Amino acid sequence: MTDLTAFAHGLPKAELHLHLEGTLEPELKFALAARNGIPLTEKTVDEVKATYDFTDLTSFLAVYYPAMQVLQTADDFFDLAWAYLQRAHAQGVVHAEMFFDPQAHTSRGVPFADVVTGYRRAAVRAQDELGISAELILCFLRDFSAEYAMATLMEALAYKSWIVGVGLDSDERGNPPEKFAAVFARAKAEGFFLTMHCDIDQVGSIDNIRTVLTGIEVDRIDHGTNIVEDPALVALAIEKGIGFTTCPVSNSFVTEQMKSDEIVALLRQGARVMVNSDDPAYFGAYIGDNYVAFAEKAELSATDLVQLAINSFEASWLTAGRRAAYIARVEDFATAAGVPLPARA
Ligand code: HPA
Ligand code: ZN
């Protein structure tokens, strides 16, 4: 382990772009399949990993959704999230705002209540035993209808205190953000924070980014690095303090590159970018691994990593006081390691 690797893993950080369903490691998939009596085509971990042959978002999603059939009960959702939170803890995560996809489960007959209570139990345990503050973000699947999204939002209202915000994921092609304008307006009125995926190199990426920034008025954008194509939009995002939850290793699976040039361009201009893991079981990299891979590719300094960690808290949905306390922890960690703080800190 190089010094930078140890520093990247130890740095206190927030994970803001993490799909709980994307943390399903093959070993847990086999255990849950056995527990629930579900036959699987693949018989070994290597056979499962051999199916991880993604070339774009669509081919990733074609593997991601069928795997979820092993998730049936509240205990299954608990086990999935608890396994993730322990791994995240080992890579320096002290705060996590985690996506979950209820419609990927309710659409196959699993009650919403079982999904959310299982995940919530893991979040509470993470606070008690690991000292991680963990929150849930409900993501609507954009390839389902706006009506189904609205019905899901209505169902979520009974669990409002367990859900910090709402997001939008799945296949962006043909499912632009405006399809969900009314759902997001209602979610905002109910007090939820808003974020939406603007996936990398989509048809109409820049138009979709403009819509989420100026029409939907989200609080954050997931991925969204195509914004560098429009300097006026970058300036607007910086003025609004919009966070960009980038995922370098994920990018290298669903496109030809990590998009490190785009992420660095945003970082150097002072945009609130940070690094996250997206679907770590599928892309083979948890958050610390993403910091290291990106740092190596873009030749970042330890001070740059400190800026990314600070940005992760600044873009979080914590209260101002809790954000400041976490940022002080980042700065103390850097100072103890002899790493200069960034100029803006
Ligand atoms: N984009 C869209 N949908 C997803 C993703 C993503 O990065 N991860 C899991 N579902
Ligand atoms: Zn994502």
Side-chain angles (χ1 to χ4, degrees):
M1 192 185 261
T2 64
D3 282 348
L4 194 72
T5 301
F7 183 74
H9 281 254
L11 193 59
K13 51 184 107 54
E15 168 96 86
L16 305 181
H17 188 153
L18 178 280
H19 301 265
L20 280 168
E21 290 84 358
T23 70
L24 180 60
E25 293 285 352
E27 292 82 357
L28 182 59
K29 184 179 176 188
F30 284 122
L32 296 180
R35 185 154 96 191
N36 293 322
I38 295 170
L40 295 177
T41 315
E42 291 83 23
K43 301 292 174 223
T44 65
V45 169
D46 285 345
E47 282 176 31
V48 174
K49 290 193 172 166
T51 67
Y52 295 179
D53 184 21
F54 320 121
T55 51
D56 55 16
L57 178 60
T58 310
S59 56
F60 161 68
L61 295 172
V63 174
Y64 173 71
Y65 290 118
M68 294 181 201
Q69 59 167 325
V70 301
L71 296 162
Q72 296 281 343
T73 68
D75 282 349
D76 300 341
F77 294 100
F78 167 81
D79 287 345
L80 178 65
W82 178 236
Y84 160 68
L85 285 158
Q86 291 174 92
R87 287 199 175 89
H89 177 66
Q91 295 204 2
V93 172
V94 294
H95 176 70
E97 296 174 8
M98 310 176 294
F99 297 133
F100 72 113
D101 285 340
Q103 293 167 287
H105 315 300
T106 56
S107 61
R108 51 188 181 86
V110 177
F112 183 96
D114 293 359
V115 180
V116 74
T117 53
Y119 284 152
R120 171 67 183 176
R121 196 146 46 84
V124 170
R125 183 161 173 192
Q127 179 70 68
D128 291 347
E129 293 185 23
L130 306 174
I132 297 180
S133 43
E135 301 283 353
L136 294 171
I137 301 174
L138 186 165
C139 272
F140 304 107
L141 298 191
R142 65 199 307 160
D143 31 21
F144 285 131
S145 70
E147 291 72 24
Y148 187 10
M150 189 65 97
T152 302
L153 177 62
M154 293 304 107
E155 213 172 353
L157 293 181
Y159 304 93
K160 213 169 174 177
S161 64
W162 294 357
I163 298 170
V164 68
V166 300
L168 186 68
D169 64 4
S170 205
D171 205 344
E172 187 166 331
R173 194 179 35 179
N175 299 296
E178 56 268 27
K179 174 175 168 186
F180 297 93
V183 177
F184 276 68
R186 178 66 189 267
K188 188 173 190 153
E190 294 288 349
F192 292 109
F193 287 103
L194 309 184
T195 189
M196 282 184 167
H197 275 62
C198 290
D199 277 280
I200 311 287
D201 294 348
Q202 297 292 301
V203 176
S205 265
I206 203 73
D207 296 329
N208 290 350
I209 291 169
R210 187 174 300 108
T211 302
V212 308
L213 268 180
T214 62
I216 314 279
E217 299 211 59
V218 292
D219 301 290
R220 265 196 325 244
I221 297 180
D222 300 309
H223 301 297
T225 48
N226 285 84
I227 197 170
V228 297
E229 295 160 21
D230 186 332
L233 270 187
V234 174
L236 178 66
I238 291 171
E239 187 192 316
K240 286 173 167 260
I242 297 292
F244 290 89
T245 66
T246 77
C247 307
V249 175
S250 163
N251 294 347
S252 70
F253 275 83
V254 298
T255 78
E256 272 159 13
Q257 345 151 10
M258 273 189 206
K259 302 290 179 186
S260 53
D261 290 349
E262 290 81 348
I263 302 170
V264 169
L266 290 169
L267 181 68
R268 299 285 176 243
Q269 289 176 74
R272 214 166 251 172
V273 285
M274 89 303 299
V275 163
N276 306 272
S277 64
D278 208 4
D279 302 285
Y282 292 94
F283 304 136
Y286 285 79
I287 194 168
D289 309 318
N290 269 272
Y291 270 66
V292 172
F294 176 47
E296 286 176 353
K297 180 78 174 53
E299 299 183 355
L300 299 184
S301 66
T303 298
D304 291 326
L305 299 189
V306 174
Q307 183 69 62
L308 291 169
I310 290 172
N311 289 353
S312 75
F313 294 105
E314 284 187 336
S316 76
W317 293 334
L318 291 161
T319 61
R322 296 183 67 204
R323 272 205 301 269
Y326 276 126
I327 290 169
R329 268 176 77 177
V330 174
E331 292 175 359
D332 289 349
F333 182 86
T335 303
V339 171
L341 298 181
R344 286 189 291 125

